[in-house]
Amino acid sequence: MASDIPRANLKPLSLYVPEPKFRPGDAVDFTEVAIPAAGSVRRPDIADPADSFIDLAYELVRVLDHENQAVGSWNPRLSPDTLRALLRSMALVRAFDERMFRAQRQGKTSFYMKCTGEEAVAVSAAFALDYEDMCFPSYRQQGLLIARGWSMVDMMNQIYSNRGDRLQGKQLPIMYSVKEAGFFSISGNLATQYPQAVGWAMASAAKGDTRIAATWCGEGSTAEGDFHSACTFASVYRAPVIFNVVNNQWAISSFSGFAGAESTTFAARAVGYGIAGLRVDGNDALAVYAATAWAAERARTNQGPTLIEHFTYRAEGHSTSDDPGQYRSEGEPTAWPLGDPIKRLKDHLIAIGEWDEERHAAQDKQLAEDVKAAQKEAEKNGILGHGLHQPLDSLFDGVFEEMPWHLREQQAQMIAEETASGRPWARKS
Amino acid sequence: MNMIQAINSAMEVVMARDPNVIVMGEDVGYFGGVFRATAGLQEKFGKTRVFDTPITECGIIGVAVGMGAYGLRPVPEIQFADYIYPALDQLVSEAARLRYRSDGEFTAPITVRSPFGGGIFGGQTHSQSPEGIFTHVSGIKTVIPSTPYDAKGLLIAAIEDNDPTLFFEPKRIYNGPFDGHWDRPSQNWSKHPAGEVPTGYYKIELGKANIVRAGDALTILAYGTMVHVCMAVVTDAGVDAEIIDLRTLVPLDIETIEASVKKTGRCMIVHEATRTGGFGAELSALVQERCFYHLEAPIERVTGFDTPYPHSLEWAYFPGPVRIGEALKKVMRD
Ligand SMILES: Cc1ncc(C[n+]2csc(CCOP(=O)(O)OP(=O)(O)O)c2C)c(N)n1
């Protein structure tokens, strides 16, 4: 029975509840965040056993230094053209986010989630993976689709749940599914994609395929059982899979300490499973690229899975439903010591004489216009709330491959009700 | 063949025909499963098609969903249905909805096999009947065989089906049919007509019930072990009952049920699972909605009690001839 009376001679225990360093109104000081110099972390051979570089799970792989130069053994030595393409994709993601965030505020859709400050995580990964590799993303990796050149109009159709929505208005906005672009259907249930990615990777290996799988979740989601089941499976069968943990410091209003960040790193989760673990500067597009390429090569050569922690920061709210001003200091995003991934890559390109501010400003302008044009195009197919965009009967499609009697009956009942109501609606042709 | 052998044979036949069928689960590989349902499969089809897994049901089903999305047809085993709960989210939120949420871009053609039900002194953790939890979920099919012949034909159909399917195996009758008394052991399937199972390929369509005994006085709806118990009760009582083995709960064969109740005018529903919110409640509502003016007596439900599954008192819990017999008298009274 619980008791308020301490037992003789024993000091009462006390419960520790973690608390973030800064709350609204607090001045932010990130000097305690350990940031090793760019180029200082060694790069193991891809064939090295995972237990020979456990230290990397506690380090921070960085390529771009303070002088905006790419340095060290992790430097992927990308061509200026590739660097510019990377930058362009990241800037496009940001422009897309801006526009769609505003569209939600204008009442054109119910919900949106930005990935501001985390663009490098998805975009660089997309550049380092093969187009045929299957991605099992969480909800903040829209950069995968953008970097893979997928149609923004198609993405927006999904956000608007309109006539052109490939998912027929059946999913929340931003929960894309694009098999053609190697983008697995996003689930709102956190971390469920983790074991699924392992299963896909195991299937690929069992079939003698050459494709690998990659998956993403937030640091908060690493507490889910699925995450640990996936690590066990991946380790046991040496599945060709890349686990990405996007440590953006916040899980809605809960800081990373509630997922265990005060005790260890998220990359160190790999150690207990005997999986290769890497901790990288998630705001360094080149570090993310290098780590992903390294992990992909390991996977492709049957060296097994890699877990990459992307140390980054969620610069904006969790979603359109969130007000981060309620729980964190407003100084945090600007004080974040790893800077902004787009600015850092831009500065690098300028430093090596392959880019300039004028071209960048012109590109931003062009990208904003491209997004605007795509939005116009998508809105021709309708926006959420303006009438019914899908044939009403389609509500029952896809529960099963073939519709059983009970769904047919319910469908007929719904159609009879709608007919009687006099509401206008479209039927499947 | 007994039911275990029939289930084994089903997997063997499908695996030989389709290289995309794979079998996975705790102890299913080298050892062949704690009930021996997968015995010999690894030897025949190799370790990449039949393998042991870590003890994480959430992982087993999550991995199977990913394999299904890749294009395989995984047949994961959950060692006992009581352990399906750690995998609930992967089944309910993922497997069951993948087709719908991706508008057919990705599907989860998985068949989850799991021994279920009581009557073997399995206690709280080896006896439960969780089918009602899954029949409540849209997008997943539930199949329960009552004979070796059905088990094989239904399992082949389930594996070849493109939707996620739960295949619950009534472990009380793995070895033979049984009439519901702890002191009346099951008779071996080898002496039973339903134990005759062709070695080759055949399917039993999902969604089709089986009238195991035709009659005019009363319709009894049952599945799994309860089909045999009802058979024994009806024989003892000398009632001209029509016994329908549902075989699949989703999709349900409503036509057969409706036609039978309209003919007999009486209906009794029997299952082992707990009563409140159980599948019997759904059956009862359906019969009431469709056959109300044909009914001559209230619909009677015989089920397990709304308690956790007891160990030593399981024979008071398990619906047997006494309880079913009393219900039978009640529904036949008016
Ligand atoms: C299983 C489950 N539990 C809770 C939620 C509600 N939820 C949505 S996002 C979120 C925070 C996730 O944080 P994190 O994993 O760190 O990812 P981030 O949003 O920071 O990218 C929560 C709790 C959910 N979607 N699924």
Side-chain angles (χ1 to χ4, degrees):
Chain A
M1 210 174 102
S3 166
D4 290 336
I5 307 159
R7 283 195 286 154
N9 301 330
L10 290 178
K11 273 197 184 160
L13 292 163
S14 63
L15 178 68
Y16 174 72
V17 179
E19 187 61 32
K21 293 241 161 41
F22 322 109
R23 284 298 195 190
D26 291 346
V28 176
D29 176 5
F30 277 128
T31 46
E32 270 181 36
V33 178
I35 300 174
S40 66
V41 175
R42 73 196 168 103
R43 182 183 185 279
D45 190 88
I46 57 127
D48 284 357
D51 64 0
S52 69
F53 50 85
I54 285 171
D55 50 315
L56 297 196
Y58 302 91
E59 287 286 351
L60 197 64
V61 172
R62 306 179 70 230
V63 172
L64 292 172
D65 71 8
H66 290 306
E67 274 76 53
N68 302 312
Q69 295 296 330
V71 297
S73 56
W74 284 97
N75 180 4
R77 301 179 187 281
L78 301 178
S79 71
D81 280 345
T82 307
L83 290 172
R84 278 189 291 264
L86 245 181
L87 181 68
R88 185 182 181 279
S89 281
M90 283 163 59
L92 183 54
V93 172
R94 190 163 292 180
F96 186 91
D97 275 2
E98 284 301 323
R99 193 99 207 149
M100 289 296 98
F101 186 88
R102 222 168 335 138
Q104 191 276 339
R105 289 297 190 246
Q106 291 165 341
K108 292 174 177 176
T109 187
S110 57
F111 179 76
Y112 192 74
M113 294 180 103
K114 288 174 149 185
C115 66
T116 313
E118 301 173 36
E119 290 89 348
V121 171
V123 171
S124 289
F127 273 70
L129 294 168
D130 281 355
Y131 192 86
E132 285 71 32
D133 294 333
M134 184 60 86
C135 298
F136 289 75
S138 177
Y139 44 65
R140 236 182 271 285
Q141 283 79 47
Q142 54 268 54
L144 292 169
L145 281 173
I146 300 243
R148 285 185 164 190
W150 192 251
S151 149
M152 289 191 288
V153 177
D154 188 82
M155 294 168 75
M156 289 169 175
N157 285 339
Q158 206 276 323
I159 290 165
Y160 291 139
S161 282
N162 65 18
R163 270 192 299 287
D165 176 7
R166 57 172 48 242
L167 306 183
Q168 301 237 341
K170 285 168 174 162
Q171 256 292 29
L172 264 177
I174 69 117
M175 303 263 174
Y176 315 103
S177 175
V178 190
K179 190 176 189 180
E180 227 182 303
F183 192 97
F184 188 74
S185 154
I186 298 177
S187 175
N189 292 44
L190 294 172
T192 51
Q193 72 276 16
Y194 252 63
Q196 293 165 5
V198 177
W200 198 97
M202 286 173 66
S204 182
K207 283 303 217 180
D209 199 339
T210 56
R211 296 174 294 165
I212 63 169
T215 185
W216 287 258
C217 78
E219 87 289 347
S221 303
T222 60
E224 290 282 0
D226 300 67
F227 175 87
H228 300 276
S229 297
C231 288
T232 303
F233 259 85
S235 162
V236 167
Y237 305 98
R238 300 188 194 162
V241 64
I242 305 174
F243 294 131
N244 294 281
V245 174
V246 187
N247 178 4
N248 65 4
Q249 313 303 322
W250 292 93
I252 311 186
S253 73
S254 305
F255 86 116
S256 56
F258 286 103
E262 291 184 341
S263 309
T264 185
T265 69
F266 292 97
R269 299 276 187 275
V271 175
Y273 294 102
I275 292 175
L278 279 187
R279 192 158 172 272
V280 307
D281 176 348
N283 289 12
D284 178 341
L286 299 186
V288 173
Y289 180 98
T292 309
W294 181 84
E297 203 186 338
R298 276 182 68 86
R300 244 181 272 286
T301 52
N302 286 310
Q303 318 283 335
T306 302
L307 192 160
I308 305 174
E309 172 185 350
H310 302 266
F311 194 61
T312 180
Y313 188 86
R314 195 194 75 211
E316 301 242 355
H318 172 75
S319 73
T320 44
S321 315
D322 177 42
D323 173 11
Q326 299 286 318
Y327 54 80
R328 73 182 185 190
S329 167
E330 64 178 26
E332 272 197 29
T334 42
W336 182 245
L338 295 174
D340 177 87
I342 296 180
K343 182 171 184 313
R344 282 175 67 190
L345 186 58
K346 178 189 82 170
D347 291 347
H348 170 58
L349 269 162
I350 292 173
I352 60 171
E354 293 290 347
W355 197 240
D356 53 58
E357 293 288 358
E358 292 69 41
R359 270 194 278 178
H360 193 76
Q363 175 171 279
D364 272 350
K365 195 154 166 270
Q366 184 60 47
L367 294 176
E369 273 165 26
D370 292 352
V371 172
K372 199 170 156 189
Q375 185 186 23
K376 267 202 167 145
E377 201 54 39
E379 288 182 6
K380 283 185 195 157
N381 294 323
I383 55 172
L384 185 69
H386 283 203
L388 295 173
H389 298 302
Q390 284 81 31
L392 209 52
D393 347 20
S394 70
L395 190 147
F396 291 87
D397 288 346
V399 179
F400 295 103
E401 187 177 36
E402 278 164 37
M403 202 181 295
W405 66 269
H406 63 287
L407 290 177
R408 263 185 277 116
E409 266 190 22
Q410 291 168 27
Q411 187 184 42
Q413 189 189 343
M414 177 193 70
I415 286 167
E417 281 166 9
E418 286 299 317
T419 309
S421 77
R423 234 183 345 191
W425 52 278
R427 287 202 66 169
K428 274 197 298 190
S429 44
Chain B
M1 284 188 205
N2 64 24
M3 196 185 284
I4 284 284
Q5 291 159 337
I7 286 163
N8 184 279
S9 170
M11 284 185 276
E12 190 192 329
V13 166
V14 191
M15 292 187 82
R17 288 165 67 103
D18 182 352
N20 288 322
V21 177
I22 67 118
V23 164
M24 59 194 273
E26 294 154 21
D27 305 301
V28 304
Y30 183 83
F31 177 55
V34 291
F35 288 101
R36 318 293 299 140
T38 56
L41 296 180
Q42 188 177 69
E43 233 169 284
K44 278 195 195 90
F45 299 105
K47 284 199 298 185
T48 53
R49 291 187 65 196
V50 184
F51 54 84
D52 295 328
T53 63
I55 305 169
T56 159
E57 289 73 16
C58 149
I60 293 169
I61 302 302
V63 161
V65 169
M67 289 178 157
Y70 178 92
L72 301 187
R73 289 189 180 279
V75 187
E77 176 181 296
I78 298 295
Q79 205 158 65
F80 289 88
D82 310 67
Y83 309 131
I84 210 161
Y85 305 118
L88 201 64
D89 187 45
Q90 284 289 349
L91 284 166
V92 170
S93 314
E94 302 296 317
R97 293 196 217 136
L98 188 55
R99 178 191 295 280
Y100 193 77
R101 81 172 194 227
S102 69
D103 202 45
E105 281 200 332
F106 296 97
T107 58
I110 70 176
T111 302
V112 183
R113 288 183 40 248
S114 194
F116 89 123
I120 59 150
F121 283 105
Q124 287 180 27
T125 57
H126 303 83
S127 307
Q128 291 167 69
S129 301
E131 66 272 18
I133 290 171
F134 297 97
T135 56
H136 187 61
V137 173
S138 337
I140 204 155
K141 294 177 176 172
T142 303
V143 181
I144 298 173
S146 73
T147 66
Y149 179 85
D150 279 11
K152 180 169 174 182
L154 289 167
L155 183 54
I156 290 175
I159 296 172
E160 292 186 346
D161 193 274
N162 290 327
D163 292 311
T165 303
L166 288 170
F167 192 85
F168 284 124
E169 300 164 4
K171 65 175 103 66
R172 184 65 185 87
I173 51 170
Y174 263 160
N175 296 313
F178 144 86
D179 68 8
H181 274 296
W182 67 274
D183 54 354
R184 286 156 76 177
S186 55
Q187 58 180 115
N188 199 300
W189 282 114
S190 62
K191 300 188 191 82
H192 200 273
E196 270 163 42
V197 178
T199 50
Y201 176 93
Y202 66 93
K203 275 208 268 199
I204 295 176
E205 194 185 339
L206 305 184
K208 292 273 176 278
N210 187 22
I211 300 173
V212 292
R213 184 192 189 283
D216 288 317
L218 155 81
T219 300
I220 298 179
L221 305 178
Y223 50 88
T225 308
M226 286 301 130
V227 172
H228 302 279
V229 181
C230 290
M231 203 64 161
V233 174
V234 163
T235 309
D236 287 354
V239 178
D240 186 23
E242 182 143 301
I243 301 179
I244 299 179
D245 174 2
L246 298 178
R247 281 178 171 162
T248 65
L249 307 189
V250 177
L252 184 69
D253 184 354
I254 192 67
E255 277 176 30
T256 300
I257 295 171
E258 194 176 331
S260 174
V261 177
K262 282 182 176 166
K263 178 180 74 174
T264 64
R266 292 170 204 270
C267 181
M268 184 164 102
I269 297 158
V270 186
H271 64 56
E272 286 181 57
T274 48
R275 170 173 299 231
T276 304
F279 193 70
E282 177 62 29
L283 288 171
S284 168
L286 283 170
V287 169
Q288 189 276 144
E289 281 166 5
R290 281 152 203 270
C291 310
F292 181 74
Y293 294 107
H294 299 263
L295 287 174
E296 289 160 33
I299 301 161
E300 193 62 30
R301 268 190 295 165
V302 185
T303 69
F305 300 126
D306 286 344
T307 67
Y309 203 98
H311 182 232
S312 69
L313 296 177
E314 92 167 346
W315 292 106
Y317 181 93
F318 198 90
V322 174
R323 200 181 321 157
I324 298 173
E326 287 305 308
L328 189 62
K329 272 186 227 154
K330 198 170 153 203
V331 77
M332 293 307 299
R333 204 146 47 210
D334 309 290

